Amino acid sequence: MTPEAAPSDGPAPGAPLVRLDDVSKHYGNIRALERVSLEVHAGEITCVLGDNGAGKSTLIKIIAGLHQHDAGTLSIEGEETRLASPREALDKGIATVYQDLAVVPLMPVWRNFFLGSEPTKGAGPFRRLDTELMRSTTRAELLRMGIDLRDVDQPIGTLSGGERQCVAIARAVHFGARVLVLDEPTAALGVKQSGVVLKYVAAARDAGLGVVLITHNPHHAYLVGDRFVLLKRGAMSGSHTRDGITLDELTRQMAGGSELDDLRHELQR
């Protein structure tokens, strides 16, 4: 087959990997999301910011295939779709790393790296896990992301929170994710560990993935973000590109903007 006849391997240059247009989700009379739009591009980080109850979790569940939207459109690589399950989202290249990470603390790092996707060798009654391949692959993939663990045989529960997040990111990259959704990866971490995680979030971006970073910390978002979507009570309160907003203004909008000014006046009185 000539190069001219080769099929397309992805969306047109500049087209978003994932796009939401006016997506809404209701649970009975409760409005979880109302007309939310965002784009996720390859090699970019889209940050979704909001306080508790802003709708961030619902947004994650729609992109991850856990819940279906009630209105609006969800497009993956230009094709409108409605994800029926997390497995379908994974098959379409969308990997979600939740805050609890869903790891087995007493299992070694390499076993958690391949959890649910373990390679085997041999046939019939001699079929068994290919532990050598899993160990070497885990070590190589972590090193490729710049993660140098002391020993991939140590229980993953002995790693710091930041190291566990980094293993989860490397795992998603290895298994072919094109879009990586991160649910508050720095929420329970100190300054140094947060910096480590953000470094590997940036590494995933530099590897060509489209990243959705869910956070309530505008300083973390501004360190790595290319696009910023602000949610408030299920609705969008702002959408900006990096060159269109400063950290001070992003922080102000995240903190409530005019509402914060009103509160300041009340407290001064």
Side-chain angles (χ1 to χ4, degrees), residues 64-65 68 76 81-94:
Q68 293 189 346
I76 299 176
T81 188
R82 183 177 287 270
L83 296 172
S85 67
R87 172 52 60 184
E88 185 178 351
L90 279 170
D91 291 342
K92 291 182 179 292
I94 300 174

Side-chain angles (χ1 to χ4, degrees), residues 10-251:
L17 296 174
V18 172
R19 177 170 179 165
L20 277 67
D21 288 302
D22 292 335
V23 164
S24 299
K25 178 66 179 178
H26 294 78
Y27 300 99
N29 294 326
I30 299 174
R31 181 190 73 173
L33 282 182
E34 188 70 40
R35 298 176 63 85
V36 172
S37 301
L38 63 81
E39 293 183 355
V40 184
H41 291 255
E44 289 188 2
I45 298 174
T46 298
C47 299
V48 180
L49 299 102
D51 286 328
N52 293 337
K56 304 190 301 296
S57 295
T58 302
L59 184 66
I60 289 175
K61 290 172 183 175
I62 290 173
I63 298 175
L66 278 167
H67 292 177
Q68 293 189 346
H69 50 289
D70 298 326
T73 59
L74 165 64
S75 301
I76 299 176
E77 298 190 7
E79 180 180 348
E80 186 176 336
T81 188
R82 183 177 287 270
L83 296 172
S85 67
R87 172 52 60 184
E88 185 178 351
L90 279 170
D91 291 342
K92 291 182 179 292
I94 300 174
T96 304
V97 178
Y98 294 99
Q99 227 173 318
D100 58 11
L101 295 179
V103 298
V104 183
L106 294 180
M107 280 187 176
V109 173
W110 62 264
R111 187 66 190 272
N112 275 278
F113 192 91
F114 281 92
L115 197 62
S117 303
E118 294 87 348
T120 58
K121 61 182 179 180
F126 301 103
R127 189 174 183 180
R128 60 200 184 279
L129 294 178
D130 194 341
T131 57
E132 294 86 355
L133 175 63
M134 285 190 278
R135 282 191 177 94
S136 62
T137 301
T138 300
R139 189 175 292 108
E141 288 300 306
L142 292 177
L143 282 173
R144 190 166 71 89
M145 289 287 291
I147 306 168
D148 187 10
L149 289 184
R150 297 176 294 279
D151 182 8
V152 296
D153 280 300
Q154 68 187 102
I156 200 168
T158 63
L159 301 182
S160 69
E163 288 173 326
R164 290 197 295 271
Q165 287 280 356
C166 296
V167 170
I169 292 170
R171 182 183 190 278
V173 173
H174 171 71
F175 282 100
R178 302 196 65 190
V179 176
L180 180 61
V181 183
L182 300 168
D183 175 23
E184 299 270 13
T186 62
L189 304 179
V191 174
K192 184 176 181 180
Q193 287 292 319
S194 294
V196 170
V197 172
L198 292 174
K199 174 184 173 183
Y200 296 118
V201 171
R205 173 200 63 199
D206 295 342
L209 276 71
V211 181
V212 180
L213 176 63
I214 310 295
T215 182
H216 63 269
N217 190 317
H219 293 82
H220 291 170
Y222 204 79
L223 280 172
V224 295
D226 299 287
R227 300 169 186 269
F228 307 97
V229 174
L230 291 99
L231 298 181
K232 181 180 178 182
R233 298 173 187 168
M236 292 179 65
S237 60
S239 180
H240 310 277
T241 57
R242 184 180 183 84
D243 57 4
I245 192 169
T246 64
L247 173 58
D248 287 344
E249 180 59 22
L250 183 67
T251 304

